[in-house]
Amino acid sequence: TLIRFGRFDEVLEVTSRPKADIQGGLWDFAQGYAHLKLGHADFARLYLGRVQKAADTSTTMFRVHTAKNLLGIAVGMLDGEIKRMAGDLDGAIAAFRRAAETQAALVYDEPEPLPFSAFHWLGAALLESGRFDAAEKAYRAELKDHPHNGWSLLGLQQALEGKGIRSPDVDADVATSWSRADTWIRSSRF
């Protein structure tokens, strides 16, 4: 949740790593992502290696999901964000796409095993690269599973605007989704 809302300093204040593979791997992901956003790319790569190792070696299950799949999504997201921030937008998009495809293939489960969607990172990178049609497709795919999701709706709105299209329905849905928010976002990912 702290990553989701860009509260990176607070993420780094959580200093005890859980011992279980799935929990520890996600803790490593959060630490790596927070370090990256604070300008410490070397630390981010260190944590990426730890998440990758856990994804490659863990036999842990989280309900019906393998740690390999869940941590593989986290690997793709952290790897993609490292590449994006280093200026390798094509590499970032490829990493985010792998993460999104893995997430889309997960077995339906409630509550969902991850509190974020790789499609938000994929869509934002596609927007950044000017690939508005592909970004629209990514956000619409996410909205099929999560109707009225404010993060996806904002990205969809931005993709449509990039194509020169205004959608009163999407605009109204964005306004409704974020009407009680106390944090205003500018992208579908922090």
Side-chain angles (χ1 to χ4, degrees):
T1 301
L2 295 173
I3 289 288
R4 184 74 173 181
F5 290 99
R7 296 166 67 174
F8 307 115
D9 287 332
E10 292 176 57
V11 170
L12 296 178
E13 291 173 10
V14 180
T15 58
S16 60
R17 183 183 191 273
K19 291 183 181 174
D21 290 341
I22 180 65
Q23 294 166 347
L26 290 178
W27 184 88
D28 288 334
F29 162 76
Q31 292 292 308
Y33 199 89
H35 276 291
L36 180 64
K37 291 302 183 170
L38 293 173
H40 311 132
D42 289 342
F43 279 115
R45 283 189 285 279
L46 173 81
Y47 282 105
L48 174 61
R50 290 174 71 170
V51 180
Q52 182 67 63
K53 182 179 178 186
D56 291 343
T57 62
S58 179
T59 58
T60 301
M61 296 287 293
F62 179 72
R63 296 191 308 257
V64 298
H65 308 285
T66 65
K68 177 179 180 158
N69 282 342
L70 297 180
L71 294 178
I73 295 165
V75 165
M77 291 174 64
L78 183 53
D79 182 40
E81 196 63 11
I82 289 170
K83 287 176 177 167
R84 188 190 73 77
M85 291 186 73
D88 180 6
L89 201 50
D90 288 337
I93 290 169
F96 293 141
R97 190 175 307 282
R98 283 189 303 274
E101 288 170 355
T102 301
Q103 193 165 23
L106 292 177
V107 174
Y108 177 80
D109 190 18
E110 286 290 340
E112 292 184 73
L114 296 174
F116 45 76
S117 174
F119 281 95
H120 296 159
W121 276 258
L122 172 60
L126 290 165
L127 286 175
E128 193 174 332
S129 72
R131 301 177 198 175
F132 303 116
D133 286 332
E136 177 185 359
K137 184 178 176 181
Y139 291 119
R140 288 194 187 278
E142 172 60 13
L143 284 164
K144 284 181 184 175
D145 289 333
H146 303 97
H148 310 293
N149 178 286
W151 297 88
S152 297
L153 286 167
L154 177 69
L156 176 59
Q157 183 183 54
Q158 292 170 338
L160 294 174
E161 287 173 357
K163 294 168 50 171
I165 299 169
R166 293 294 304 189
S167 169
D169 291 340
V170 171
D171 293 345
D173 212 355
V174 169
T176 300
S177 293
W178 292 102
S179 65
R180 296 184 300 159
D182 60 1
T183 300
W184 295 102
I185 63 170
R186 296 182 182 168
S187 172
S188 61
R189 57 99 174 93
F190 269 105

